[in-house]
Amino acid sequence: MNQALEGLKVIDLSRVLAGPYCTMVLGDMGANVIKIERYPFGDDSRSMGPFQGEESYSFAMANRNKRSICLNIKKRDGLDILLKLVEDADVFIENFRPGVASKLGIDFDTLKAINPGLIYCSISGYGQTGPYKDKGGYDIMAQGLSGIMSMTGEIGGAPVKSGFAVNDIAAGVTAIYSILAAYIYKLRTQKGQYIDLALVDAGLAWTVWESAAYFGAGEVSVPNGSAHRVSAPYQGFQTKDGHILIGAANEKLWKLFCEKVVERPDWLEDPRFLTNRDRISHREELEQVIQEVIGLKESSYWLPRLELAGVPAGPISRYNETLENEHVLSREMVINYDHPVFGPLKSLGFPTKFSETPERLNRPAPTLGQHSSEILLEHGWNEREINSLRDQKII
Amino acid sequence: MNQALEGLKVIDLSRVLAGPYCTMVLGDMGANVIKIERYPFGDDSRSMGPFQGEESYSFAMANRNKRSICLNIKKRDGLDILLKLVEDADVFIENFRPGVASKLGIDFDTLKAINPGLIYCSISGYGQTGPYKDKGGYDIMAQGLSGIMSMTGEIGGAPVKSGFAVNDIAAGVTAIYSILAAYIYKLRTQKGQYIDLALVDAGLAWTVWESAAYFGAGEVSVPNGSAHRVSAPYQGFQTKDGHILIGAANEKLWKLFCEKVVERPDWLEDPRFLTNRDRISHREELEQVIQEVIGLKESSYWLPRLELAGVPAGPISRYNETLENEHVLSREMVINYDHPVFGPLKSLGFPTKFSETPERLNRPAPTLGQHSSEILLEHGWNEREINSLRDQKII
């Protein structure tokens, strides 16, 4: 089967997560991704555990479907190699702090002169403009400034992080679609362009309902535990052995819940709980009485009972349960393959199920500089020259 | 200036958030998005507050850059209109429960017969396949099953939701890039295809580091408050008037923090805090001693001090602070425009800064059926026929 992005050539100087996530997905869809790694240590995420020997699982999970060349671009000959690779590329991506690409001689204007059709994507914490542009911006700082952290946590509690690196991923995923849109424009006009993305902007753009509450009514979203803001009960409860979500969010479902699930028809007469509005105003008491009952039995008792009664419900899975869940597995969200260092390796699967151009594992994440020779041979260097570049510590 | 997706025609039957977010961004990039709203009430999010009169801010925030036709596709003539609109469309998107599109006569096979180049994207809670496919799946259930909720919250506390609808957005954003990749394939081959997306899969695919910890070392990610998993101190602290993040994550930064920021050089001698490893093992005590000092002064005292010392730091902004922050405003992440019902309206800005094909507001979110006549006129109906369709309650 074909892949959607066959023929798209990507030169990737990005490190750690936002850029690498973007280029991994481009690779999953068939793009030719050449990862340029800094000589001699490579991507910073190669030093992030867990490890097997010297090889990092974190690196492996964010870098499948790429080839690696380890290149010293601070030497003129190394920089020339990079410029040669860029000549016929469609996409160039970097996530240095603003200004660094310019110092390295690989800013947009320089590369555009070599390749006018180039799509050049920069990802940084705060973007290329604005008063904070020179600050170092990591995911956690972006979660803080974008307001996402302040609306996550226990009711009345301190702000907490989203469980995964949400602003890093936001910038990476926004990069994927922005690059593809720019590529569509390039196919039509032969023109390249510059794309400036910030971790803060990318996460902030996703707070759609929260922006409606604020711009429409001045409401500032705050931590709300596991609960829905305007329906109750619609939240997590602790069972005897885990957590489940129960969404008895309208009058009909509340009746079913009381009668069929917990067998407490008396709650239907309780003046504190008569309507959704009453239940919202007595949220704490509601939560407490339900918690007392739900805590008496295991999740495996409650979930089928809720389903039978027709009350929306589901597990709050621990991550190991997620990755072993029958539905998750049937969706092929865990894939198995052989990695040259790790041997048999599991990895997350592909979220898009394309009928004609399936994403697939074309190659496992590369070891550092695994494809240096191969890539240079493709671009016109010969074996002798490549050996000399090695001797000079350029590759 | 041109836009990247000019000429891309999108027929959008999706409701609420995942699909509408996708088509809004396609519209932001210049696509011609025709939103088909269910007769007579329209998108469910039109009934979500806050309101001004009858008009929903929530709807407005997720539906700019679309035109609306209100259409009764349960009547044959209404269905025929939809089929006519699809004839020359590039993209069709729906987020019914699996099976519903088929019952409505608008499944992929039917539409493909009319338009072989159609890219048909379905978004659902659990996807079109697998044991859970027929369950109702909302964002919160998907956060629960994908494991994201179980890794978010206070240390040792109950799982909490991410502050925004992360799995809804994940599916919507995955839809954007998947549709654009399929469109690139279509430009090359004239072939359309089917895309099956699930809220659960889309969110799960983003847990990159967490998958590395699990597949590599069997570690199950659990709630970790605002703290970094492997560095300390790197987390939120409460000041006298808010919360800030402090990332003194290596020995050099820890020294700067103790000497220049809090003026407690004695901590450098404390055997509990000598190395990052020590600080991680005595995390609670570390947090407590730092909290005691940080809590004595306002954020506006600490942040410049941290910056001057060169210790990474930043605010945990409340959402109102985010939307008034000088940097966020300088990045044009809040835009102002006139809406026919609301009057002057603020909205989140565009996360991608394209140099050649900027995203822009071409039109505010439509009122229900605002463009029914205009769209029908474009597709060959005349005024008399349109009036008759109104009389028959088809539009």
Side-chain angles (χ1 to χ4, degrees), chain A residues 158-192:
Chain A
V160 306
K161 285 196 308 180
S162 287
F164 69 104
V166 58
N167 284 62
D168 257 339
I169 293 286
V173 178
T174 303
I176 303 169
Y177 77 68
S178 303
I179 286 169
L180 295 184
Y183 184 61
I184 288 165
Y185 182 72
K186 176 184 170 169
L187 290 174
R188 204 162 73 228
T189 63
Q190 279 74 56
K191 285 188 191 157

Short mmCIF file of all heavy atoms in Angstrom, two decimals, chain A residues 158-192:
data_model
loop_
_atom_site.label_atom_id
_atom_site.label_comp_id
_atom_site.label_asym_id
_atom_site.label_seq_id
_atom_site.Cartn_x
_atom_site.Cartn_y
_atom_site.Cartn_z
N ALA A 158 -4.37 22.97 44.64
CA ALA A 158 -3.31 23.64 43.90
C ALA A 158 -3.35 23.20 42.43
O ALA A 158 -3.85 22.12 42.12
CB ALA A 158 -1.95 23.28 44.50
N PRO A 159 -2.84 24.06 41.53
CA PRO A 159 -2.75 23.66 40.12
C PRO A 159 -1.83 22.46 39.96
O PRO A 159 -0.81 22.37 40.64
CB PRO A 159 -2.16 24.89 39.44
CG PRO A 159 -1.69 25.81 40.50
CD PRO A 159 -2.31 25.41 41.77
N VAL A 160 -2.18 21.57 39.05
CA VAL A 160 -1.30 20.43 38.76
C VAL A 160 -1.08 20.33 37.25
O VAL A 160 -1.86 20.85 36.45
CB VAL A 160 -1.86 19.09 39.29
CG1 VAL A 160 -2.18 19.18 40.78
CG2 VAL A 160 -3.07 18.61 38.51
N LYS A 161 -0.01 19.64 36.88
CA LYS A 161 0.31 19.41 35.47
C LYS A 161 -0.68 18.42 34.85
O LYS A 161 -1.16 17.52 35.53
CB LYS A 161 1.68 18.74 35.35
CG LYS A 161 2.84 19.63 35.58
CD LYS A 161 4.11 18.97 35.06
CE LYS A 161 4.28 17.56 35.62
NZ LYS A 161 5.51 16.91 35.11
N SER A 162 -0.92 18.56 33.57
CA SER A 162 -1.55 17.47 32.85
C SER A 162 -0.56 16.31 32.87
O SER A 162 0.65 16.52 32.85
CB SER A 162 -1.84 17.87 31.40
OG SER A 162 -2.92 18.76 31.37
N GLY A 163 -1.10 15.10 32.87
CA GLY A 163 -0.27 13.92 33.07
C GLY A 163 0.79 13.73 32.01
O GLY A 163 1.80 13.07 32.24
N PHE A 164 0.58 14.28 30.83
CA PHE A 164 1.59 14.15 29.78
C PHE A 164 2.03 15.55 29.37
O PHE A 164 1.46 16.54 29.83
CB PHE A 164 1.04 13.32 28.61
CG PHE A 164 -0.03 14.04 27.83
CD1 PHE A 164 0.24 14.59 26.60
CD2 PHE A 164 -1.30 14.17 28.35
CE1 PHE A 164 -0.74 15.27 25.88
CE2 PHE A 164 -2.29 14.85 27.66
CZ PHE A 164 -2.01 15.39 26.43
N ALA A 165 3.02 15.63 28.49
CA ALA A 165 3.63 16.93 28.15
C ALA A 165 2.75 17.66 27.14
O ALA A 165 3.08 17.80 25.97
CB ALA A 165 5.03 16.69 27.59
N VAL A 166 1.63 18.18 27.62
CA VAL A 166 0.56 18.64 26.72
C VAL A 166 0.98 19.80 25.83
O VAL A 166 0.62 19.84 24.65
CB VAL A 166 -0.73 18.94 27.51
CG1 VAL A 166 -0.52 19.98 28.59
CG2 VAL A 166 -1.85 19.40 26.60
N ASN A 167 1.76 20.77 26.35
CA ASN A 167 2.12 21.90 25.49
C ASN A 167 3.21 21.53 24.49
O ASN A 167 3.22 22.04 23.36
CB ASN A 167 2.54 23.12 26.32
CG ASN A 167 1.34 23.84 26.93
OD1 ASN A 167 0.61 23.24 27.72
ND2 ASN A 167 1.11 25.07 26.55
N ASP A 168 4.11 20.65 24.87
CA ASP A 168 5.08 20.12 23.89
C ASP A 168 4.33 19.44 22.74
O ASP A 168 4.61 19.70 21.56
CB ASP A 168 5.98 19.06 24.56
CG ASP A 168 7.36 19.59 24.90
OD1 ASP A 168 7.80 20.59 24.31
OD2 ASP A 168 8.01 18.98 25.79
N ILE A 169 3.42 18.56 23.08
CA ILE A 169 2.66 17.84 22.06
C ILE A 169 1.81 18.80 21.24
O ILE A 169 1.71 18.68 20.02
CB ILE A 169 1.78 16.75 22.72
CG1 ILE A 169 2.66 15.65 23.35
CG2 ILE A 169 0.78 16.17 21.72
CD1 ILE A 169 3.31 14.71 22.37
N ALA A 170 1.22 19.79 21.91
CA ALA A 170 0.39 20.77 21.19
C ALA A 170 1.21 21.45 20.10
O ALA A 170 0.75 21.59 18.96
CB ALA A 170 -0.18 21.80 22.16
N ALA A 171 2.41 21.87 20.44
CA ALA A 171 3.25 22.54 19.44
C ALA A 171 3.62 21.55 18.33
O ALA A 171 3.61 21.90 17.14
CB ALA A 171 4.51 23.10 20.09
N GLY A 172 3.92 20.32 18.70
CA GLY A 172 4.31 19.31 17.70
C GLY A 172 3.18 18.99 16.74
O GLY A 172 3.38 18.88 15.52
N VAL A 173 1.98 18.85 17.27
CA VAL A 173 0.84 18.48 16.43
C VAL A 173 0.41 19.66 15.58
O VAL A 173 0.01 19.50 14.42
CB VAL A 173 -0.31 17.96 17.31
CG1 VAL A 173 -1.51 17.63 16.46
CG2 VAL A 173 0.13 16.74 18.09
N THR A 174 0.49 20.86 16.14
CA THR A 174 0.18 22.05 15.35
C THR A 174 1.19 22.19 14.21
O THR A 174 0.84 22.58 13.09
CB THR A 174 0.15 23.30 16.25
OG1 THR A 174 -0.81 23.07 17.30
CG2 THR A 174 -0.25 24.55 15.49
N ALA A 175 2.44 21.81 14.50
CA ALA A 175 3.46 21.82 13.44
C ALA A 175 3.09 20.85 12.32
O ALA A 175 3.25 21.17 11.14
CB ALA A 175 4.83 21.47 14.02
N ILE A 176 2.59 19.66 12.67
CA ILE A 176 2.25 18.68 11.62
C ILE A 176 1.25 19.28 10.65
O ILE A 176 1.46 19.31 9.44
CB ILE A 176 1.63 17.39 12.22
CG1 ILE A 176 2.54 16.74 13.25
CG2 ILE A 176 1.30 16.39 11.09
CD1 ILE A 176 1.84 15.62 14.05
N TYR A 177 0.12 19.79 11.20
CA TYR A 177 -0.90 20.25 10.26
C TYR A 177 -0.50 21.54 9.57
O TYR A 177 -0.86 21.76 8.40
CB TYR A 177 -2.29 20.29 10.91
CG TYR A 177 -2.63 21.43 11.85
CD1 TYR A 177 -2.77 22.74 11.40
CD2 TYR A 177 -2.90 21.18 13.18
CE1 TYR A 177 -3.12 23.77 12.27
CE2 TYR A 177 -3.26 22.19 14.06
CZ TYR A 177 -3.37 23.49 13.59
OH TYR A 177 -3.74 24.49 14.45
N SER A 178 0.28 22.38 10.23
CA SER A 178 0.70 23.63 9.59
C SER A 178 1.66 23.35 8.44
O SER A 178 1.57 23.97 7.37
CB SER A 178 1.38 24.54 10.62
OG SER A 178 0.49 24.78 11.71
N ILE A 179 2.56 22.42 8.65
CA ILE A 179 3.51 22.03 7.60
C ILE A 179 2.75 21.43 6.41
O ILE A 179 3.04 21.73 5.26
CB ILE A 179 4.55 21.04 8.17
CG1 ILE A 179 5.54 21.80 9.06
CG2 ILE A 179 5.27 20.29 7.05
CD1 ILE A 179 6.46 20.90 9.88
N LEU A 180 1.77 20.58 6.69
CA LEU A 180 1.03 19.96 5.58
C LEU A 180 0.22 21.00 4.81
O LEU A 180 0.13 20.96 3.58
CB LEU A 180 0.14 18.82 6.09
CG LEU A 180 0.91 17.63 6.68
CD1 LEU A 180 -0.06 16.52 7.06
CD2 LEU A 180 1.97 17.10 5.71
N ALA A 181 -0.36 21.96 5.53
CA ALA A 181 -1.10 23.03 4.84
C ALA A 181 -0.14 23.85 3.97
O ALA A 181 -0.45 24.18 2.82
CB ALA A 181 -1.80 23.92 5.86
N ALA A 182 1.03 24.15 4.51
CA ALA A 182 2.02 24.91 3.74
C ALA A 182 2.50 24.10 2.53
O ALA A 182 2.78 24.66 1.46
CB ALA A 182 3.21 25.28 4.62
N TYR A 183 2.56 22.78 2.68
CA TYR A 183 2.98 21.92 1.57
C TYR A 183 1.92 21.92 0.47
O TYR A 183 2.24 21.93 -0.72
CB TYR A 183 3.25 20.51 2.10
CG TYR A 183 3.77 19.55 1.05
CD1 TYR A 183 4.97 19.79 0.39
CD2 TYR A 183 3.06 18.39 0.75
CE1 TYR A 183 5.45 18.90 -0.56
CE2 TYR A 183 3.53 17.49 -0.20
CZ TYR A 183 4.73 17.75 -0.86
OH TYR A 183 5.20 16.86 -1.79
N ILE A 184 0.65 21.92 0.86
CA ILE A 184 -0.45 22.00 -0.12
C ILE A 184 -0.33 23.32 -0.89
O ILE A 184 -0.49 23.36 -2.11
CB ILE A 184 -1.80 21.85 0.61
CG1 ILE A 184 -1.96 20.39 1.06
CG2 ILE A 184 -2.97 22.29 -0.27
CD1 ILE A 184 -3.05 20.16 2.10
N TYR A 185 -0.02 24.38 -0.16
CA TYR A 185 0.17 25.68 -0.81
C TYR A 185 1.37 25.64 -1.75
O TYR A 185 1.34 26.16 -2.87
CB TYR A 185 0.36 26.76 0.26
CG TYR A 185 0.52 28.16 -0.29
CD1 TYR A 185 -0.56 28.84 -0.84
CD2 TYR A 185 1.76 28.80 -0.25
CE1 TYR A 185 -0.42 30.13 -1.34
CE2 TYR A 185 1.91 30.09 -0.75
CZ TYR A 185 0.82 30.75 -1.29
OH TYR A 185 0.96 32.01 -1.78
N LYS A 186 2.42 24.97 -1.32
CA LYS A 186 3.62 24.83 -2.16
C LYS A 186 3.33 24.03 -3.43
O LYS A 186 3.81 24.37 -4.51
CB LYS A 186 4.73 24.16 -1.35
CG LYS A 186 5.99 23.90 -2.16
CD LYS A 186 7.06 23.14 -1.40
CE LYS A 186 8.16 22.71 -2.38
NZ LYS A 186 9.36 22.21 -1.72
N LEU A 187 2.54 22.97 -3.30
CA LEU A 187 2.21 22.16 -4.48
C LEU A 187 1.49 23.02 -5.53
O LEU A 187 1.63 22.81 -6.73
CB LEU A 187 1.34 20.97 -4.09
CG LEU A 187 2.03 19.85 -3.29
CD1 LEU A 187 1.01 18.80 -2.83
CD2 LEU A 187 3.14 19.19 -4.09
N ARG A 188 0.72 24.01 -5.04
CA ARG A 188 -0.05 24.87 -5.94
C ARG A 188 0.79 26.01 -6.51
O ARG A 188 0.58 26.43 -7.63
CB ARG A 188 -1.23 25.44 -5.15
CG ARG A 188 -2.40 25.86 -5.98
CD ARG A 188 -3.69 26.01 -5.14
NE ARG A 188 -3.66 27.19 -4.31
CZ ARG A 188 -3.97 27.20 -3.01
NH1 ARG A 188 -4.31 26.07 -2.38
NH2 ARG A 188 -3.93 28.31 -2.32
N THR A 189 1.74 26.51 -5.71
CA THR A 189 2.42 27.76 -6.10
C THR A 189 3.94 27.66 -6.21
O THR A 189 4.58 28.63 -6.60
CB THR A 189 2.15 28.85 -5.03
OG1 THR A 189 2.73 28.39 -3.79
CG2 THR A 189 0.66 29.09 -4.83
N GLN A 190 4.49 26.51 -5.80
CA GLN A 190 5.96 26.34 -5.70
C GLN A 190 6.59 27.22 -4.62
O GLN A 190 7.81 27.24 -4.47
CB GLN A 190 6.67 26.62 -7.05
CG GLN A 190 6.64 25.44 -8.03
CD GLN A 190 5.28 25.27 -8.64
OE1 GLN A 190 4.72 26.18 -9.24
NE2 GLN A 190 4.70 24.07 -8.48
N LYS A 191 5.79 27.92 -3.84
CA LYS A 191 6.36 28.80 -2.82
C LYS A 191 6.53 28.12 -1.46
O LYS A 191 5.63 27.43 -1.00
CB LYS A 191 5.44 30.02 -2.63
CG LYS A 191 5.53 31.02 -3.74
CD LYS A 191 4.73 32.28 -3.38
CE LYS A 191 4.59 33.18 -4.60
NZ LYS A 191 3.44 34.07 -4.51
N GLY A 192 7.66 28.37 -0.84
CA GLY A 192 7.84 27.95 0.54
C GLY A 192 7.39 29.04 1.49
O GLY A 192 6.82 30.04 1.07
#
